[in-house]
Amino acid sequence: MSGDLRGDLVRLRARHDADVSVLDTELRPAFRGKGLATDTVRVLCNYGRTVLGLHRIQLETAADNHPMTRAAERAGCTKEGVLRDTGWVLGKFVGEAVFGILADEWSTA
Amino acid sequence: VEHGVNGGLRGELIGLRARHEEDVPILDAELHDDVAGDAKGSRRAWRPLSPGSKESFNRPAEPNDAFAPFAVVELATDTLVGGASMWSIDSHNRSAHLGIALRPACRGKGFGTDIVRVLCYYGFTVLGLHRLQVDTLSDNHAMIKAAERVGFTREGVIRESVWVMGEFADDLILGLLAGEWSEQQHAGG
């Protein structure tokens, strides 16, 4: 199952596999640094909990992606681990931070 | 770890070989038909399987670029002790996950560590991977011990990520990098 929400400013993309739901956001370059990522994560969490009825949502991001890390933490996600050297990116291996948020942890406010 | 006579992979106690058709009824009866055990290991909802079902997870499958299924045999007796596999083999990021399942009577004999070690040899030396990952329930002490003995590092606990027989359970992720593995080999570990 997948859902696509498109707006003028941000594009939201959710991937909902059988067991694990992983959220993913990408902002157009001109719209970065405006606080939209935190809002995007919140809306996706609300979608996951309220519309889909999920128990857990997971967010994975490059360990050095500070804007995404900050957005995840601001939205109430907990950092659960850093998987070392998971991705080959332009000549080197980079790690990946994993965040999780459980149904009773996110607020709909 | 060295190559076996049939091109298989051998540790001190066990060897890995291809799955055979005659392994299937044994693994289905002893692993799949244990509902609670299967729920912990498979990460899927348990369903009944008829003998000979094509849906059996233990059925021999042709290996492909992303999946390498093995049967595990005890070298001393040439008996089947369980299954092992390398999955999500990713040739771009040069990583893969590994998993093992031992027949109930074959647990607690030190096979797990030996199997993980031979799988690492396969992943790092044969496939040339950079990273191997173990995903196991955080209360699976036997698997955690086996992975840590081979040099895996605990990297995170993915909370309430698996539904197991009436409740959500935590997954523990462990990782081992090629450099750590070869360092250990040179140290004679």
Side-chain angles (χ1 to χ4, degrees):
Chain A
M1 181 181 169
S2 71
D4 280 279
L5 306 171
R6 285 169 193 278
D8 291 337
L9 299 181
V10 298
R11 180 162 62 90
L12 306 190
R13 196 173 73 211
R15 204 169 68 230
H16 177 206
D17 301 327
D19 299 319
V20 189
S21 295
V22 181
L23 69 81
D24 183 18
T25 86
E26 275 178 86
L27 292 177
R28 294 170 59 189
F31 298 101
R32 293 171 192 165
K34 296 170 185 281
L36 297 177
T38 304
D39 214 25
T40 305
V41 172
R42 283 205 186 104
V43 174
L44 278 172
C45 287
N46 195 28
Y47 171 74
R49 190 186 83 140
T50 311
V51 180
L52 303 180
L54 301 178
H55 176 72
R56 172 191 164 83
I57 293 175
Q58 184 164 320
L59 187 155
E60 298 157 5
T61 186
D64 62 357
N65 184 349
H66 304 300
M68 192 65 217
T69 300
R70 210 160 43 229
E73 283 169 346
R74 278 189 187 148
C77 300
T78 301
K79 193 177 195 176
E80 295 178 331
V82 176
L83 313 190
R84 301 167 304 148
D85 286 12
T86 48
W88 178 255
V89 181
L90 298 173
K92 61 178 192 208
F93 288 103
V94 299
E96 172 183 284
V98 180
F99 292 84
I101 185 165
L102 306 180
D104 59 3
E105 292 175 344
W106 63 68
S107 69
T108 50
Chain B
V1 177
E2 58 189 38
H3 284 92
V5 284
N6 297 317
L9 300 158
R10 298 157 67 97
E12 288 172 19
L13 303 171
I14 58 86
L16 303 185
R17 61 157 170 76
R19 297 254 173 97
H20 294 176
E21 197 57 41
E22 53 268 32
D23 301 332
V24 178
I26 300 169
L27 296 176
D28 277 354
E30 296 189 20
L31 298 174
H32 176 79
D33 290 351
D34 168 9
V35 178
D38 182 77
K40 287 180 183 172
S42 73
R43 313 303 169 86
R44 290 161 298 146
W46 188 90
R47 290 179 300 168
L49 282 183
S50 303
S53 168
K54 288 190 173 60
E55 296 295 311
S56 170
F57 195 61
N58 295 309
R59 186 155 289 283
E62 286 306 315
N64 58 52
D65 286 347
F67 183 56
F70 296 100
V72 185
V73 292
E74 185 181 20
L75 293 172
T77 58
D78 200 32
T79 49
L80 179 72
V81 299
S85 64
M86 194 156 282
W87 47 281
S88 286
I89 301 168
D90 176 339
S91 61
H92 176 69
N93 296 303
R94 290 168 58 195
S95 62
H97 301 244
L98 59 89
I100 70 177
L102 287 171
R103 296 170 66 182
C106 303
R107 294 170 194 166
K109 295 171 186 262
F111 292 147
T113 305
D114 209 28
I115 298 168
V116 172
R117 200 169 275 136
V118 178
L119 283 170
C120 287
Y121 174 81
Y122 177 69
F124 290 128
T125 307
V126 180
L127 300 184
L129 298 178
H130 176 75
R131 171 191 165 84
L132 290 174
Q133 182 167 323
V134 168
D135 310 65
T136 189
L137 294 181
S138 61
D139 64 356
N140 186 350
H141 304 297
M143 186 64 198
I144 296 166
K145 201 159 69 188
E148 288 188 326
R149 277 188 184 149
V150 178
F152 279 79
T153 300
R154 296 180 189 220
E155 295 178 332
V157 175
I158 311 304
R159 302 169 305 148
E160 299 189 20
S161 55
V162 197
W163 180 255
V164 182
M165 303 298 283
E167 59 186 10
F168 287 104
D170 296 344
D171 226 354
L172 174 68
I173 295 186
L174 302 104
L176 178 64
L177 307 182
E180 298 164 346
W181 165 258
S182 62
E183 208 170 279
Q184 195 193 71
Q185 298 307 294
H186 290 122

